[in-house]
Amino acid sequence: MIALIHQPFCPHSRFVRLALGEYGLEVELVEERPWERRREFLALTPEGLLPVLMEDDNPPVPGADGAAEYIDETHGPHRGERRLMPLAVADRIEARRLAHWFNHKFFAEVSQPLVEEKIFKRMLTASQGGGAPNMEAVRAARVNIRYHLQYIGRLVGARNWLAGDRLTYADLAAAAHLSCVDYLGDAAWGENEDARLWYARIKSRPSFRALLSETVPGLRPSATYAELDF
Amino acid sequence: MIALIHQPFCPHSRFVRLALGEYGLEVELVEERPWERRREFLALTPEGLLPVLMEDDNPPVPGADGAAEYIDETHGPHRGERRLMPLAVADRIEARRLAHWFNHKFFAEVSQPLVEEKIFKRMLTASQGGGAPNMEAVRAARVNIRYHLQYIGRLVGARNWLAGDRLTYADLAAAAHLSCVDYLGDAAWGENEDARLWYARIKSRPSFRALLSETVPGLRPSATYAELDF
């Protein structure tokens, strides 16, 4: 049995949930509010990273990067065509490069500012840094997302999936971050049609279903968030 | 033959050089100034990450995280006791967790501000953001390093190396970042004796030699930088 300490609109948590979902692995979700910096939470993940994956007697696995490698090593072999980390060296380089792009660069430039300003700040007390969103950060992220959508469009225009012929961690990372942004209505789908079609494809997968049913109290999702045909 | 596009005082470049050195792999070093954002460089690493590892006909491998996994997969097997990524699942989790700690958290809180403010800003033109160091950022990093040294001391006080009985990527990551900080005289070795003894051990390894001979033009290393018995 796998347990995952997560936060519903943390893009890294969503990335790991998608990976577990693609492999059909059952997972017990435990919600954590990392900004509360609970002692028990920091004992599991001293760096404060979400999510934290726990399975059997293994030590807790903190963070998206480590969880992806762990899941590949423990649940990836023998998945054949469904393995999320490809087997060929060149394909692994590309899958890791793009997963890193979304889990770090897209996060810093787009999903982190949008989620923090528009979702997490609603949940925080004033002393924790809560309050009205910093609209300058929001506007910058809305500009940044455009070139990321163009990049996705360029990649999937030449390939079937982001890192090549098959679905990999790269697609799950990109889609996890985009799903949070899409909830907020900030995914500028008009920017690139190839990117929109790719997202419609990945959003229709069963692994996505649980994510699309979650909502932020008091904040309605964008009209198209849960629409598979948007 | 391996080529590595690097920057001498980029801690992530140093981390990958140490890993290649530990495996006795010959490497051709190519210096890059990432802040110039040369088109040819960004074609190899669109995210702009250093270092970039190139070997044979494989695609370029950008960044410390990806390079560590690549080197482990292509040059790690059959290294036995000298493998930098341990074999047991629990040990891999711990080695990755700590390599991440230093390559991301220590970098953000200590080595990035110190190296940027005190070294890179000397090399940048005014329009690139060069100039006098932001002493507020320097002071914050000097405070932050203390709890990281305590953390290292606590870990090696209970184990032989950072992640367990053997040398792993965790030690190389920590030592790579600390080596840059030590050059600047900002490694507060008085803070923790176990951390100092661990660093003296790792600094004496042959893989470290090339790093210790490098200097920043116009900026002398701290008195103890190249001393093995400091």
Side-chain angles (χ1 to χ4, degrees), chain A residues 75-97:
Chain A
H75 298 281
H78 321 299
R79 295 274 169 179
E81 294 287 302
R82 292 180 61 92
R83 188 163 181 171
L84 294 166
M85 178 75 87
L87 271 184
V89 172
D91 297 340
R92 294 172 83 83
I93 293 171
E94 186 65 351
R96 281 203 185 99
R97 178 181 81 78

Side-chain angles (χ1 to χ4, degrees), chain B residues 3 6 9 12 46 98-99 114 122 141 169 186:
Chain B
H6 83 126
F9 284 86
H12 297 120
L98 288 167
L114 289 174
R122 305 169 66 93
Y169 279 138
D186 290 326

Side-chain angles (χ1 to χ4, degrees), chain A residues 22-132:
Chain A
E22 285 294 326
Y23 284 168
L25 296 165
E26 236 186 291
V27 55
E28 182 196 344
L29 294 172
V30 182
E31 189 174 336
E32 177 72 32
R33 300 181 155 214
W35 51 83
E36 293 178 353
R37 301 190 65 73
R38 293 188 315 115
R39 185 188 297 259
E40 297 82 356
F41 171 64
L42 292 175
L44 293 174
T45 171
E47 199 175 334
L49 294 174
L50 270 187
V52 183
L53 189 157
M54 294 189 290
E55 185 174 30
D56 305 332
D57 294 333
N58 287 326
V61 184
D65 300 336
E69 299 292 345
Y70 170 85
I71 293 169
D72 182 61
E73 289 172 354
T74 52
H75 298 281
H78 321 299
R79 295 274 169 179
E81 294 287 302
R82 292 180 61 92
R83 188 163 181 171
L84 294 166
M85 178 75 87
L87 271 184
V89 172
D91 297 340
R92 294 172 83 83
I93 293 171
E94 186 65 351
R96 281 203 185 99
R97 178 181 81 78
L98 288 167
H100 193 281
W101 176 287
F102 290 100
N103 278 330
H104 294 267
K105 186 177 177 66
F106 187 94
F107 178 66
E109 297 178 353
V110 181
S111 55
Q112 180 177 38
L114 288 175
V115 168
E116 278 199 6
E117 298 301 330
K118 296 175 79 172
I119 299 180
F120 292 167
K121 272 196 173 175
R122 304 169 68 93
M123 308 184 185
L124 270 61
T125 62
S127 69
Q128 286 166 334

Side-chain angles (χ1 to χ4, degrees), chain B residues 16-28:
Chain B
V16 175
R17 290 169 67 193
L18 288 175
L20 297 170
E22 285 293 326
Y23 284 168
L25 296 166
E26 237 187 290
V27 55
E28 181 195 344

Side-chain angles (χ1 to χ4, degrees), chain A residues 47 73 92 96 100, chain B residues 47 69 73 92 96 100:
Chain A
E47 199 175 334
E73 289 172 354
R92 294 172 83 83
R96 281 203 185 99
H100 193 281
Chain B
E47 199 174 334
E69 299 293 345
E73 289 172 354
R92 294 173 82 85
R96 280 203 185 98
H100 194 281

Side-chain angles (χ1 to χ4, degrees), chain B:
Chain B
M1 184 67 181
I2 297 173
L4 192 75
I5 301 175
H6 83 126
Q7 172 57 227
F9 284 86
C10 154
H12 297 120
S13 299
R14 289 186 160 217
F15 165 64
V16 175
R17 290 169 67 193
L18 288 175
L20 297 170
E22 285 293 326
Y23 284 168
L25 296 166
E26 237 187 290
V27 55
E28 181 195 344
L29 294 172
V30 182
E31 189 174 335
E32 177 73 31
R33 299 180 156 216
W35 50 83
E36 294 179 354
R37 301 191 64 74
R38 294 188 315 114
R39 186 188 298 259
E40 297 82 357
F41 170 64
L42 292 174
L44 293 175
T45 172
E47 199 174 334
L49 294 175
L50 269 186
V52 184
L53 188 155
M54 293 189 290
E55 184 173 30
D56 305 332
D57 295 333
N58 287 327
V61 185
D65 300 336
E69 299 293 345
Y70 170 85
I71 294 169
D72 182 62
E73 289 172 354
T74 52
H75 298 282
H78 319 302
R79 295 275 169 180
E81 293 286 303
R82 292 180 60 91
R83 188 163 182 171
L84 294 166
M85 180 75 87
L87 271 184
V89 171
D91 297 340
R92 294 173 82 85
I93 293 170
E94 185 66 350
R96 280 203 185 98
R97 179 180 81 77
L98 288 167
H100 194 281
W101 176 286
F102 290 100
N103 279 330
H104 294 266
K105 187 177 176 67
F106 187 94
F107 178 66
E109 297 178 352
V110 181
S111 55
Q112 181 177 40
L114 289 174
V115 167
E116 277 200 5
E117 296 302 330
K118 297 175 79 172
I119 299 181
F120 292 167
K121 272 197 174 175
R122 305 169 66 93
M123 307 183 186
L124 270 61
T125 63
S127 69
Q128 286 166 334
N134 171 346
M135 287 311 291
E136 202 179 324
V138 167
R139 274 190 294 269
R142 284 178 180 154
V143 170
N144 291 337
I145 196 174
R146 296 186 177 274
Y147 90 86
H148 285 281
L149 289 173
Q150 288 164 14
Y151 190 43
I152 290 173
R154 210 155 62 236
L155 290 167
V156 295
R159 304 162 169 183
N160 194 21
W161 294 97
L162 276 183
D165 285 345
R166 293 191 289 116
L167 181 85
T168 68
Y169 279 138
D171 301 281
L172 302 188
H177 288 261
L178 274 166
S179 73
C180 297
V181 174
D182 194 33
Y183 185 95
L184 298 168
D186 290 326
W189 295 119
E191 186 72 20
N192 191 290
E193 180 66 2
D194 284 335
R196 189 186 70 76
L197 290 171
W198 160 85
Y199 187 64
R201 258 196 297 154
I202 195 163
K203 188 180 176 181
S204 307
R205 297 178 75 86
S207 64
F208 236 83
R209 252 177 238 147
L211 306 187
L212 298 180
S213 66
E214 284 165 352
T215 54
V216 180
L219 184 65
R220 283 171 53 188
S222 68
T224 56
Y225 176 64
E227 293 281 336
L228 296 188
D229 192 17
F230 67 108

